[in-house]
Amino acid sequence: MITIRPADQDDAGQIAPLINMIFDEMQLEELDDIPEPDLEQAITAAYQTPDYLSEKATTVVAEADGQVVGVAFGYPDKNEDAVDDVLARVTAGNDAFGSAFEAEAESYEHEWYLDSIAVDPNYQGHGIGGRLLAALPKYAREAGQKRIGLNVDMANPGAKKLYDRYDYETVGIKPIGDHMYFHMQYELDKDLVMA
């Protein structure tokens, strides 16, 4: 049975490898030389902060048999700098990074931005990504937002299909790192159709 719930600090160690999959796919040049344990340690530290869990951002997990098998992480656009500062702080003291990691701006104005969504490869194809997406409107509304935005790599048509199925519409194109992304938005006055 899959449970979708807000993340807590104890989930951080299980969230880190899922988020790291996204960093791997993004092929960010500034992370190329960072050893995997150091990167996962920084990600874990970030997901133990109140800012990442519920204050500036929201982290939601999918749990199966006591294990985190999926994660969605997002925030109102106005909180993007504060959220990015968390990762900068947790990497600043780590010699492997050399200097603090600085993320690029990714959100559009007036949206709750879905920064990251990932599902354990062993659980992909079971509707977990869709269930995580279906849980997000509640958090966006609680943050006073009327739309959810996200970026999907143009080289990942499978992910774009998922967002298309959930009525996300492409509203722009955005470069992040060395990749081009479709920026997509979902208007909250629509009803999410469960797959």
Side-chain angles (χ1 to χ4, degrees):
M1 181 168 114
I2 304 295
T3 303
I4 307 296
R5 62 170 176 78
D8 60 42
Q9 288 182 324
D10 294 337
D11 297 322
Q14 294 179 67
I15 291 170
L18 297 173
I19 297 298
N20 194 26
M21 289 183 340
I22 296 169
F23 285 149
D24 284 347
E25 289 173 7
M26 291 180 75
Q27 300 173 329
L28 297 173
E29 189 176 300
E30 56 269 40
L31 297 179
D32 280 348
D33 298 328
I34 308 299
E36 199 95 359
D38 290 293
L39 184 54
E40 287 198 12
Q41 179 184 7
I43 297 168
T44 299
Y47 282 90
Q48 289 174 329
T49 67
D51 282 347
Y52 262 44
L53 293 174
S54 62
E55 289 182 8
K56 299 292 183 190
T58 300
T59 305
V60 180
V61 295
E63 182 180 68
D65 301 319
Q67 297 296 310
V68 172
V69 298
V71 61
F73 170 70
Y75 43 83
D77 65 287
K78 65 183 180 177
N79 291 352
E80 185 168 22
D81 288 342
V83 169
D84 289 347
D85 286 348
V86 171
L87 200 51
R89 277 196 317 270
V90 299
T91 57
N94 186 324
D95 292 339
F97 286 86
S99 62
F101 175 74
E102 294 186 30
E104 295 180 49
E106 298 178 10
S107 67
Y108 278 25
E109 286 187 0
H110 310 295
E111 69 180 13
W112 190 91
Y113 179 63
L114 175 57
D115 181 282
S116 306
I117 185 168
V119 176
D120 182 312
N122 296 319
Y123 288 84
Q124 291 176 0
H126 298 283
I128 294 171
R131 291 193 54 198
L132 285 165
L133 279 177
L136 299 180
K138 169 189 172 200
Y139 299 103
R141 284 186 182 100
E142 286 174 357
Q145 299 296 314
K146 295 181 180 178
R147 72 183 51 87
I148 297 173
L150 58 85
N151 291 302
V152 60
D153 196 326
M154 289 182 167
N156 190 348
K160 185 167 185 311
K161 252 193 214 178
L162 172 69
Y163 303 127
D164 287 338
R165 190 169 8 138
Y166 280 84
D167 293 330
Y168 281 77
E169 295 180 15
T170 301
V171 296
I173 295 175
K174 187 161 188 63
I176 301 172
D178 294 332
H179 291 233
M180 293 299 290
Y181 290 77
F182 293 111
H183 192 84
M184 303 182 78
Q185 290 182 333
Y186 173 78
E187 298 296 329
L188 292 177
D189 60 356
K190 293 181 183 180
D191 292 324
L192 266 181
V193 178
M194 294 301 295

